[in-house]
């Protein structure tokens, strides 16, 4: 198993994030996001790459001085069962604490 690193997304990740999210929005599991929307939200995204390809992503949205939402959590199906989702959630939780948030939520179509 390869060691994966979570990193803050940059504009060069937008197309890869879009491709990954589209796999799930086509299945009506996640909300669709246009590349332009992803670009405008890029500071909120974190990614995991393998061979310079986005294989997992997550974003955070801040709602109040206390509350944030985990958004757009997706892992490429061929990378399932490698704890990438867990790594992303841990990263977004740590980032939320840095921001001063004390509560997080996730709205999802799937448990």
């Amino acid at each position: 198993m390869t060691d994966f690193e979570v990193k803050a997304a940059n504009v060069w990740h937008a197309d890869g994030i879009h491709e990954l999210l589209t796999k799930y929005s086509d299945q009506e599991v996640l909300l669709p996001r246009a590349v332009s929307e992803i670009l405008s939200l890029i500071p909120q995204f974190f990614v995991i790459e393998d061979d310079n390809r986005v294989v997992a992503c997550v974003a955070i949205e801040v709602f109040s001085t206390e509350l944030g939402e985990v958004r757009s959590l997706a892992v490429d199906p061929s990378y399932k069962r490698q704890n990438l989702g867990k790594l992303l959630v841990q990263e977004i939780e740590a980032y939320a604490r840095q921001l001063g948030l004390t509560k997080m939520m996730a709205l999802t179509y799937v448990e």
Side-chain angles (χ1 to χ4, degrees):
M1 183 166 112
T2 307
D3 288 326
F4 293 103
E5 177 187 356
V6 178
K7 56 182 161 183
N10 63 51
V11 295
W12 303 110
H13 293 118
D15 287 332
I17 292 169
H18 179 260
E19 182 180 323
L20 182 58
L21 294 180
T22 298
K23 288 180 184 181
Y24 290 100
S25 65
D26 286 349
Q27 298 171 29
E28 298 183 351
V29 176
L30 284 178
L31 294 173
R33 302 246 181 253
V35 174
S36 59
E37 181 183 11
I38 293 166
L39 283 167
S40 71
L41 300 173
I42 211 71
Q44 299 175 0
F45 272 92
F46 291 84
V47 297
I48 296 174
E49 292 179 292
D50 192 24
D51 278 338
N52 295 317
R53 185 173 70 90
V54 174
V55 297
C57 66
V58 69
I60 185 171
E61 181 171 352
V62 177
F63 284 106
S64 72
T65 56
E66 294 180 331
L67 180 63
E69 179 188 6
V70 176
R71 299 180 79 182
S72 301
L73 176 61
V75 176
D76 186 288
S78 62
Y79 288 80
K80 296 268 180 161
R81 306 266 183 250
Q82 296 188 48
N83 291 320
L84 301 188
K86 181 178 179 178
L87 286 172
L88 289 168
V89 170
Q90 289 171 340
E91 184 72 26
I92 214 78
E93 287 176 334
Y95 183 63
R97 284 191 295 275
Q98 288 176 355
L99 294 175
L101 301 176
T102 56
K103 299 176 185 172
M104 291 293 289
M105 69 173 176
L107 304 175
T108 180
Y109 294 123
V110 179
E111 289 184 35

